[in-house]
Amino acid sequence: MFEHNAGNNYRLRLHRARSVILTNDELVEIRAAQRTFEGAYIRTALGQFSFALIILKIFTSEFYSIGALFAIYGSGILITSLLRRQQGNKQFFSETGEDGLNRKKFRTSGNVVVVLTAFSVAAYGCLLGLTLKLGD
């Protein structure tokens, strides 16, 4: 998931990624992306953890599995945010290929959306199963 020596492999205006000096417009763009994507995932994960804590503190022991499910779901969202951050760190840089040519590297967040969708469907399927099991 994490690349070795990524700071040497990616370039912006012929500077290595780890030593580039960004303009004000580029800084604004990077900060906006971090605020939008990383902040949203972190806030969602914190919301899931809070909801799990409320379930575990207020309700009886028969609801503990539902609280644990929300805690696991929050952890999955945090892991997904790490994946999004790793992809987002590279979106402004170009990559030097094996043939020596510089290519602009841009990827949409489609992979992250697919991972989060699959994780959400699995979590809500488990929630439905646990809710139906409560009546027994």
Side-chain angles (χ1 to χ4, degrees):
M1 184 165 127
F2 298 104
E3 295 180 35
H4 185 62
N5 291 327
N8 293 327
N9 295 335
Y10 297 103
R11 299 188 180 278
L12 180 67
R13 294 187 310 272
L14 302 177
H15 293 281
R16 290 186 306 263
R18 68 175 183 204
S19 65
V20 69
I21 298 173
L22 300 172
T23 65
N24 283 337
D25 290 337
E26 291 167 339
L27 280 173
V28 167
E29 185 71 25
I30 289 172
R31 288 177 183 150
Q34 285 179 331
R35 209 174 32 248
T36 301
F37 295 114
E38 294 173 22
Y41 289 119
I42 298 293
R43 285 189 302 272
T44 303
L46 286 175
Q48 296 300 319
F49 289 138
S50 300
F51 191 63
L53 186 63
I54 288 171
I55 290 173
L56 292 173
K57 286 291 190 181
I58 293 178
F59 294 101
T60 60
S61 62
E62 62 186 4
F63 290 94
Y64 283 177
S65 58
I66 294 175
L69 174 68
F70 277 102
I72 292 169
Y73 185 60
S75 300
I77 291 175
L78 274 179
I79 292 169
T80 305
S81 76
L82 290 175
L83 176 66
R84 176 66 178 108
R85 180 182 178 99
Q86 186 260 341
Q87 289 181 355
N89 283 342
K90 298 185 296 187
Q91 78 183 31
F92 295 100
F93 297 100
S94 59
E95 181 179 30
T96 304
E98 293 177 4
D99 55 1
L101 297 174
N102 285 336
R103 291 183 202 81
K104 190 71 175 164
K105 180 150 182 115
F106 179 77
R107 287 189 53 122
T108 62
S109 59
N111 293 341
V112 176
V113 171
V114 168
V115 168
L116 195 58
T117 300
F119 195 66
S120 297
V121 166
Y124 285 112
C126 290
L127 180 63
L128 182 63
L130 289 172
T131 305
L132 293 174
K133 188 178 173 183
L134 283 176
D136 294 338

